Amino acid sequence: MTFKKIKIAAVTPLIAFAVTACGGSSSDGRSYSEMGTEARSLMERAAEVGALNENTGEFENITMAADMQTSGSASYSGVSGLWVGDTMSEAEDNAFFNEDTPDVLSNLRLTADFDAGEINGRMDNFQAATDDVSISGSVDVTNGTFVTGTGGEAGMVAELDGSLDVSEDGIDETIGITGDMAGTFLGDDGEVVTGISAGDMISDFGNGAFVGIWGADRD
């Protein structure tokens, strides 16, 4: 199964929520290649848990909000892939049509607080697909809440805010990241969550946009 096939499927359930989302070695020992391997495993698990129909490209076992945990907490760990462009349209084309390999991969950790109705977390350990680019910094997942789709599906929405220091060909720049993410829970009781993200990249060297596909497994 290719990453492109699962990333198209990740978008499909989000229609129900009416949400618009306008390398080298790493500090934890995980390289781009190693995170890519985990991403493929996560996507395969999402396909299994979510009963991905490869003919329609839709998940057939989306968690219902009524079946989600209602108290306590849960942690999810996974990977986020980002495709970038000078404009949002270019980033979307790169993510969904042009490029099967993300420009950047990162760790993704989410903590769901069911008592408070919140889900927040962080993206860190950003690794570029090319060896001559180094990235440090993190992006916070904030103001996350649980949402229910029109068919009773369990989902989440959150905001992204952070800063990344990027070095390429001897040029250093700081890129501000702002955006949104939305996800759908899969399985009988939300074992996996997967979704999309999108937002702006702001730098003194010029602005851009990103589109992301992400997945996380409950610890």
Side-chain angles (χ1 to χ4, degrees):
M1 174 177 296
T2 65
F3 194 52
K4 182 170 289 186
K5 179 175 292 186
I6 195 71
K7 73 186 183 184
I8 295 299
V11 178
T12 305
L14 300 176
I15 296 173
F17 299 117
V19 174
T20 301
C22 290
S25 63
S26 64
S27 59
D28 66 354
R30 282 154 43 96
S31 65
Y32 182 97
S33 176
E34 289 167 335
M35 284 191 289
T37 298
E38 181 184 351
R40 286 188 290 273
S41 296
L42 279 167
M43 296 302 99
E44 289 172 358
R45 175 157 167 74
E48 178 183 2
V49 171
L52 176 67
N53 185 322
E54 295 197 15
N55 293 321
T56 64
E58 297 180 355
F59 291 115
E60 297 181 345
N61 189 26
I62 298 174
T63 309
M64 293 292 102
D67 296 326
M68 284 290 289
Q69 185 176 335
T70 57
S71 62
S73 63
S75 297
Y76 292 82
S77 300
V79 175
S80 171
L82 299 180
W83 289 257
V84 302
D86 291 334
T87 64
M88 181 58 70
S89 177
E90 182 180 337
E92 289 173 344
D93 286 344
N94 290 338
F96 300 122
F97 303 108
N98 299 336
E99 300 178 14
D100 198 22
T101 302
D103 296 306
V104 178
L105 289 174
S106 74
N107 292 331
L108 171 64
R109 296 179 180 86
L110 298 171
T111 299
D113 183 339
F114 297 103
D115 294 308
E118 300 175 351
I119 180 166
N120 298 299
R122 174 171 291 189
M123 298 176 184
D124 58 20
N125 183 43
F126 286 84
Q127 299 293 319
T130 55
D131 292 336
D132 58 348
V133 178
S134 63
I135 306 173
S136 62
S138 62
V139 174
D140 291 329
V141 180
T142 65
N143 297 319
T145 61
F146 300 103
V147 294
T148 302
T150 56
E153 306 92 341
M156 58 79 67
V157 294
E159 298 173 0
L160 300 176
D161 183 61
S163 178
L164 301 177
D165 294 319
V166 180
S167 178
E168 181 178 7
D169 296 330
I171 299 176
D172 299 329
E173 65 176 316
T174 298
I175 300 176
I177 303 292
T178 60
D180 301 280
M181 67 187 297
T184 302
F185 290 92
L186 304 175
D188 295 334
D189 58 357
E191 299 101 303
V192 173
V193 58
T194 185
I196 60 175
S197 63
D200 299 316
M201 305 169 61
I202 302 171
S203 166
D204 290 339
F205 292 88
N207 300 335
F210 69 88
V211 170
I213 306 295
W214 56 271
D217 199 357
R218 189 167 60 199
D219 296 337

